[in-house]
Amino acid sequence: MQEFRGLGLGAGSGGQGAGGNRWRMRELAESEHFDWPIFRRALRAFVPYWPYTIVVTIVILAVSLGGAIPAWLTQKIIDEGIQRRDMSLIVEYTLALIGVSIGTGLLGVLQSYLSNLIAQNVMADYRIAIFRHLQRQTVGFFASRQSGDLVSRVTNDVTAIQSVVTSTLVGFVSNLLSIAATLFLMFSMNWRLAVLAVVVVPGFVIPTQRVGKSRQQLQGQIQQWLSKMTVQLSESLGVSGALLIRIFNRQGPEEKEFAESNRTLRDLQVRQALVGRWLFMWLSMFSSIGPALLWGYGGWLVVKGDIGLGVIVAFTALLSRLYGPLSQLAQLHVSILSSVALFRRIFGIMDVEPEVVDGTRAIPDNSVQGSLRLEGVSFSYAPSPRETRAEGPAAANGRSRLPGGGTGGGMGEVGGTPERPAERWALREIDLSIEPGETVALVGPSGAGKTTLLNLIPRFSDPAEGRLLLDGTDTRTLTLHALRAQMGLVPQDPFFFHDTVANNLRLAKDTATIEEMEAACRAAQIHETIAALPEGYDTVVGERGYRLSGGERQRLAIARVLLQGPKIVLLDEATSALDTVIERKIQDALAVLLEGRTALVIAHRLSTILKADKIVVMERGRVAAVGTHAELVARDPLYKQLYETQFHVEAELEGR
Ligand code: ATP
């Protein structure tokens, strides 16, 4: 069976798991050329482990020789022991045979230990490097990519490095050495039989190579369809997808689509199994032809008295040690291409330069006044990978619910040159000054650029033009750590990790005592709610944890910022209407939060704009007007309209 191992016909090498390395396989199916620079760069990761590499090479050499020696010893037992009826020689060689087998077995264990050690070290290095690199990326980077794809690169792709080491690198060295050791032994025993053994080689190698490639291509297609199914399953079995399907009565078409993928997958898998079976038959035939020829020609040589019977027996044993490794070497290019595709994906992420570069200036504690100034700030979103590369996974999957394209961001090459045509500015020439302790309310129609502006303050992105100043210092010169330590953010829909309330609060201040947390939560009007939870501050909340309502989440987020105690507060008010009691609680919490702090608030509540020192009206990325409520109602038609449509209703409701 050894000669079939490399073809995936042996045990346990059938196919990849459904989720597994599907993108790797798809790219593998697509990759036609060998990319030497990527391969060289990939090998660099192994450099720190060169001592292990040297030892493992020596061990592989010993294992390869050890694997060939039993055939030679068998020949000795037959020709020198049995034929000459020398019992002591028989015992000697038999003991040697046992010794060599045990030794080779032990060395084999050492070899797999060392190669795993190298692979696991390289994998850990890559995982850490990618994770560290991703931590330096901007929020926009994550907004334009599927999180599943990034997770897959850190886990599946990196995990597949294991097979690169064990099958590609170790496989290459060990097959080469096995062939060399076997040929050496064959030619030293009898060159004529050795030539005969080699003559049969093309019969193995050529079909193996062909079938290996087509199996690999079929495997790539299978992975594509598996991935299409995975996407469909995860979309339609998630709460939001399930809701969408039901409300639009799409169960029928969804079932049809799923059945279609299944049928295609079934056909592909039958084809793949058959390709293997035909080859199996061919190889079984050929693996009998080789020994048959040997017995025929070798038998004639034995009869002539040129060689002993043991030579033929040894040769037939050596044949499998020649054909197996040769078949595997013949397919090596496929696995090398697959490794290159794998590393290309990994490097694709590692080569994305973070858009926001860290500054160098620290800010001494408690020295921030809290004045903010924006000078001629313009910003445009870089085209997302989906825009720059049409063939994203969804497109490749053929699963596109949107008329224009895919279901999510592209997964491929990242970066790209941001084009900034005039009409695509999200913010244009913004000048704004906020004094320490001032509350500024941002209002404007949807899409006016309010969130974009808010995100520039803590440098989630940098403006394309203009600059932002904190206490007169360009924020680009400050370290991100120092800058963000001065800012608290309360988003519209705050996020909490799947962890306890206390640990979620400690994100803001990891040394916070329970008393401090309680004080912050009391100020944010959320303490009573938390105290009433099953385990109080130790209740697990967040994703799939205890579900907090929208209003509770906002107040908990306010408590978190209070605990942090920043000089500047960035707040995106919730839009949802709340009952008067909750509304009052939020207003009270906000009053504490904004007290004595510089605040930039995307305002959705009348009470907030009425309390603001200054209201900034935004329209299509520009500042349309600045003033107080009374001034703006009197002179700005856009504000008047916003007030009448968004805030006036609320005022009327409150007045009732
Ligand atoms: P809303 O009140 O509806 O939240 P907004 O005033 O906060 O709107 P922004 O979210 O800042 O508006 O969006 C400004 C413009 O930038 C919009 O045209 C929006 O489509 C675009 N935009 C926002 N986020 C992105 C993004 N990640 N990539 C590309 N364009 C974006």
Side-chain angles (χ1 to χ4, degrees):
M1 195 63 184
Q2 194 196 353
E3 57 266 56
F4 308 139
R5 224 176 357 133
L7 306 174
L9 297 173
S13 53
Q16 310 270 342
N21 305 318
R22 57 183 191 270
W23 300 119
R24 183 171 75 86
M25 296 307 296
R26 181 164 72 79
E27 287 183 20
L28 177 152
E30 285 169 0
S31 51
E32 288 292 330
H33 68 285
F34 177 68
D35 198 332
W36 177 240
I38 287 195
F39 193 65
R40 215 173 33 209
R41 186 173 163 191
L43 288 183
R44 244 181 268 152
F46 295 86
V47 171
Y49 306 102
W50 66 266
Y52 295 115
T53 316
I54 289 176
V55 177
V56 90
T57 312
I58 294 168
V59 173
I60 292 172
L61 180 68
V63 170
S64 309
L65 278 174
I69 287 171
W72 176 72
L73 286 172
T74 312
Q75 184 252 323
K76 293 280 177 208
I77 291 176
I78 296 173
D79 290 345
E80 293 174 19
I82 299 175
Q83 301 279 29
R84 295 180 196 160
R85 300 183 182 279
D86 184 339
M87 200 53 215
S88 65
L89 264 183
I90 294 177
V91 173
E92 227 170 80
Y93 284 131
T94 308
L95 287 178
L97 202 56
I98 294 170
V100 169
S101 304
I102 293 174
T104 313
L106 290 176
L107 283 174
V109 174
L110 183 64
Q111 177 199 315
S112 75
Y113 168 72
L114 287 173
S115 53
N116 271 292
L117 196 70
I118 297 172
Q120 294 300 337
N121 270 304
V122 171
M123 272 156 63
D125 290 350
Y126 266 112
R127 272 196 294 259
I128 294 167
I130 300 174
F131 189 78
R132 190 173 291 151
H133 186 73
L134 288 175
Q135 292 304 309
R136 289 167 53 223
Q137 295 297 338
T138 59
V139 181
F141 173 91
F142 298 98
S144 59
R145 282 166 188 86
Q146 288 179 309
S147 59
D149 173 52
L150 293 175
V151 171
S152 161
R153 291 194 199 207
V154 184
T155 54
N156 296 332
D157 287 2
V158 172
T159 307
I161 289 177
Q162 164 97 36
S163 69
V164 172
V165 176
T166 47
S167 64
T168 312
L169 297 180
V170 173
F172 174 69
V173 179
S174 90
N175 286 328
L176 210 62
L177 291 178
S178 288
I179 293 167
T182 308
L183 282 178
F184 172 77
L185 215 60
M186 279 181 160
F187 276 94
S188 62
M189 277 198 273
N190 188 288
W191 72 268
R192 280 174 292 184
L193 281 182
V195 169
L196 189 70
V198 172
V199 163
V200 189
V201 164
F204 274 96
V205 172
I206 294 168
T208 305
Q209 201 173 12
R210 291 239 167 109
V211 171
K213 200 161 181 185
S214 64
R215 270 178 71 89
Q216 206 88 25
Q217 277 164 351
L218 278 171
Q219 184 67 40
Q221 287 177 32
I222 287 171
Q223 295 295 342
Q224 265 188 57
W225 282 93
L226 275 175
S227 110
K228 178 177 152 59
M229 266 171 60
T230 316
V231 169
Q232 192 188 6
L233 283 173
S234 61
E235 281 182 358
S236 55
L237 300 184
V239 176
S240 314
L243 202 82
L244 202 66
I245 289 168
R246 275 151 192 77
I247 200 71
F248 286 114
N249 276 325
R250 299 284 303 171
Q251 287 100 325
E254 285 293 317
E255 272 174 35
K256 210 169 133 211
E257 200 181 324
F258 189 65
E260 232 171 71
S261 318
N262 268 291
R263 273 194 293 274
T264 314
L265 201 57
R266 176 200 62 192
D267 295 344
L268 283 170
Q269 268 167 339
V270 168
R271 266 175 60 199
Q272 194 197 26
L274 270 184
V275 172
R277 287 300 106 183
W278 285 119
L279 180 71
F280 191 81
M281 197 203 85
W282 173 262
L283 290 185
S284 307
M285 207 174 75
F286 246 77
S287 58
S288 311
I289 290 176
L293 290 177
L294 274 181
W295 280 109
Y297 180 58
W300 180 64
L301 290 178
V302 173
V303 171
K304 274 203 335 176
D306 286 357
I307 58 168
L309 179 66
V311 176
I312 310 179
V313 176
F315 259 79
T316 47
L318 284 174
L319 272 190
S320 69
R321 294 197 52 81
L322 184 66
Y323 297 157
L326 270 169
S327 310
Q328 286 176 37
L329 273 189
Q331 293 182 83
L332 198 74
H333 71 287
V334 180
S335 52
I336 287 180
L337 283 184
S338 121
S339 320
V340 166
L342 187 74
F343 279 105
R344 189 181 292 131
R345 275 174 54 79
I346 294 174
F347 296 150
I349 282 290
M350 296 187 74
D351 287 344
V352 185
E353 282 300 324
E355 278 172 38
V356 171
V357 181
D358 207 353
T360 50
R361 289 175 63 177
I363 306 176
D365 283 348
N366 304 321
S367 68
V368 171
Q369 298 297 311
S371 86
L372 279 173
R373 208 162 72 236
L374 282 79
E375 291 180 351
V377 167
S378 294
F379 178 84
S380 103
Y381 288 97
S384 71
R386 179 172 33 165
E387 291 168 89
T388 50
R389 200 179 166 217
E391 74 281 17
N397 287 337
R399 182 169 176 81
S400 169
R401 288 201 173 92
L402 305 172
T407 50
M411 54 160 303
E413 295 0 63
V414 268
T417 326
E419 47 162 79
R420 300 188 194 277
E423 68 271 19
R424 298 216 34 204
W425 290 110
L427 293 176
R428 195 71 185 125
E429 289 161 3
I430 305 273
D431 290 306
L432 193 61
S433 214
I434 308 174
E435 298 310 316
E438 218 175 35
T439 297
V440 171
L442 286 177
V443 298
S446 179
K450 304 180 293 287
T451 312
T452 308
L453 178 61
L454 204 74
N455 286 342
L456 291 185
I457 314 285
R459 291 192 70 204
F460 290 155
S461 304
D462 276 338
E465 291 170 14
R467 57 185 196 147
L468 285 96
L469 305 165
L470 170 65
D471 290 350
T473 308
D474 190 333
T475 52
R476 269 188 258 228
T477 63
L478 299 171
T479 67
L480 289 170
H481 186 272
L483 177 71
R484 289 171 187 168
Q486 313 304 325
M487 304 196 175
L489 175 69
V490 183
Q492 219 175 62
D493 187 16
F495 180 78
F496 297 97
F497 286 121
H498 178 83
D499 206 340
T500 60
V501 172
N503 283 343
N504 269 293
L505 286 169
R506 283 198 193 99
L507 286 179
K509 184 179 178 187
D510 47 15
T511 55
T513 61
I514 188 73
E515 289 76 27
E516 286 177 299
M517 286 191 255
E518 282 183 13
C521 288
R522 277 205 182 87
Q525 306 286 325
I526 189 71
H527 171 70
E528 281 167 30
T529 314
I530 297 168
L533 290 177
E535 290 170 69
Y537 281 75
D538 291 328
T539 309
V540 173
V541 291
E543 284 204 311
R544 283 183 282 280
Y546 187 91
R547 278 190 65 85
L548 297 167
S549 75
E552 289 163 351
R553 294 164 79 85
Q554 271 238 315
R555 279 177 287 146
L556 190 57
I558 291 173
R560 192 156 61 179
V561 174
L562 283 175
L563 204 58
Q564 179 191 354
K567 220 42 200 179
I568 295 165
V569 168
L570 307 168
L571 168 67
D572 192 352
E573 263 190 323
T575 47
S576 52
L578 299 166
D579 68 54
T580 13
V581 179
I582 304 291
E583 183 66 48
R584 173 65 47 217
K585 283 189 171 185
I586 293 206
Q587 292 310 325
D588 290 349
L590 284 181
V592 179
L593 180 71
L594 303 184
E595 179 63 38
R597 298 191 164 96
T598 308
L600 195 58
V601 184
I602 299 178
H604 293 292
R605 305 237 180 280
L606 181 68
S607 48
T608 313
I609 51 170
L610 291 180
K611 273 184 222 148
D613 298 298
K614 185 151 76 187
I615 300 165
V616 174
V617 185
M618 293 191 66
E619 189 187 18
R620 289 197 209 142
R622 290 177 186 270
V623 171
V626 181
T628 62
H629 174 66
E631 287 166 6
L632 292 170
V633 170
R635 70 171 156 84
D636 188 57
L638 174 62
Y639 182 78
K640 196 158 180 281
Q641 188 198 344
L642 281 171
Y643 170 65
E644 277 164 5
T645 52
Q646 285 185 20
F647 302 111
H648 199 57
V649 183
E650 194 189 330
E652 276 180 3
L653 282 175
E654 283 213 333
R656 236 186 255 164

